[in-house]
Amino acid sequence: EAQVTQNPRYLITVTGKKLTVTCSQNMNHEYMSWYRQDPGLGLRQIYYSMNVEVTDKGDVPEGYKVSRKEKRNFPLILESPSPNQTSLYFCASSFLWDTEAFFGQGTRLTVV
Amino acid sequence: SQQGEEDPQALSIQEGENATMNCSYKTSINNLQWYRQNSGRGLVHLILIRSNEREKHSGRLRVTLDTSKKSSSLLITASRAADTASYFCATMDSNYQLIWGAGTKLIIKP
């Protein structure tokens, strides 16, 4: 089944404790991206990747890192999480940058 | 930056009625896309319309795009309870970024 898989689905962590949210897609898509969703703000793009080893900042990259060593995986790293990073995070992929996006089920992160 | 703005923010209609949502944006776009989200879950792609297209249909969905007014509308005909969800427009610009609006919350009353 074609899908984007994020893990974990839920995570509660403490301020400053490094964490990684994994994202994997099995559709051989070139373009992958990370978003955060906060009430009343819609989705905001954190980082995106046009292809392997090519990543770029989105609108809200501060406090996040990504890597794209393989086509299928695009992990999101929070080196030192803070409470303002409490949010619902989505990973998405698309065949090309200007085609429809497929979303993972989301990761609800709480930083205390 | 928030490119698209949906209108209305919330819409409540009776089952069987048509629902219309609008989206306005600010800059030139490559395409405009509509997505549906059920209660904090993953987003599902509904329809993509390119900047050189004016109208597109998919089942009960009809999307229009007016690039001169920088606006789009999504029409859902013969609404069903299962259409209850939040609907988002997103614009793809030449910077390879998909920029999202804050969404329209649609409630279909049985």
Side-chain angles (χ1 to χ4, degrees):
Chain A
E1 181 189 352
Q3 59 186 3
V4 178
T5 304
Q6 287 179 235
N7 280 298
R9 292 287 311 279
Y10 301 92
L11 179 60
I12 301 174
T13 190
V14 296
T15 299
K17 186 177 180 183
K18 181 179 178 180
L19 66 92
T20 299
V21 184
T22 63
C23 174
S24 180
Q25 50 94 4
N26 62 0
M27 296 169 279
N28 201 35
H29 284 171
E30 303 271 337
Y31 186 93
M32 296 186 75
S33 55
W34 275 103
Y35 299 90
R36 60 178 289 173
Q37 185 177 29
D38 302 289
L41 294 178
L43 278 80
R44 292 180 292 167
Q45 192 172 48
I46 303 170
Y47 270 94
Y48 63 97
S49 169
M50 299 283 283
N51 211 327
V52 176
E53 301 292 1
V54 180
T55 62
D56 273 297
K57 295 177 181 179
D59 287 328
V60 288
E62 294 79 20
Y64 305 94
K65 284 176 57 177
V66 293
S67 68
R68 187 95 182 271
K69 293 184 168 56
E70 309 164 277
K71 200 171 190 178
R72 63 184 293 126
N73 296 323
F74 191 44
L76 178 70
I77 303 155
L78 284 73
E79 295 267 3
S80 183
S82 63
N84 65 10
Q85 292 178 298
T86 292
S87 187
L88 179 58
Y89 291 87
F90 288 102
C91 177
S93 73
S94 54
F95 183 60
L96 295 173
W97 66 274
D98 62 344
T99 56
E100 66 176 283
F102 293 80
F103 280 79
Q105 284 299 98
T107 296
R108 190 168 290 280
L109 172 66
T110 302
V111 183
V112 297
Chain B
S1 60
Q2 197 164 312
Q3 160 93 298
E5 291 185 11
E6 288 93 343
D7 168 53
Q9 290 186 329
L11 180 61
S12 180
I13 60 173
Q14 291 294 138
E15 194 167 18
E17 294 180 337
N18 296 342
T20 300
M21 287 158 270
N22 302 298
C23 170
S24 60
Y25 58 92
K26 297 172 184 168
T27 63
S28 298
I29 61 170
N30 175 280
N31 65 57
L32 186 145
Q33 304 176 36
W34 285 91
Y35 289 80
R36 184 186 73 227
Q37 183 181 36
N38 290 90
S39 191
R41 302 181 69 178
L43 286 89
V44 175
H45 180 265
L46 296 176
I47 206 162
L48 181 154
I49 186 165
R50 298 200 177 274
S51 59
N52 61 352
E53 297 175 305
R54 291 296 166 259
E55 188 170 311
K56 212 161 182 181
H57 297 255
S58 177
R60 293 184 295 113
L61 306 180
R62 173 178 167 252
V63 168
T64 61
L65 178 65
D66 187 336
T67 53
S68 66
K69 294 181 180 178
K70 291 186 168 56
S71 67
S72 172
S73 67
L74 170 67
L75 169 67
I76 305 173
T77 60
S79 62
R80 305 167 181 169
D83 294 329
T84 293
S86 291
Y87 292 81
F88 294 88
C89 72
T91 51
M92 177 64 80
D93 62 17
S94 56
N95 293 321
Y96 314 119
Q97 289 186 252
L98 201 55
I99 310 295
W100 299 75
T104 292
K105 191 167 185 177
L106 175 64
I107 296 172
I108 309 298
K109 296 178 286 187

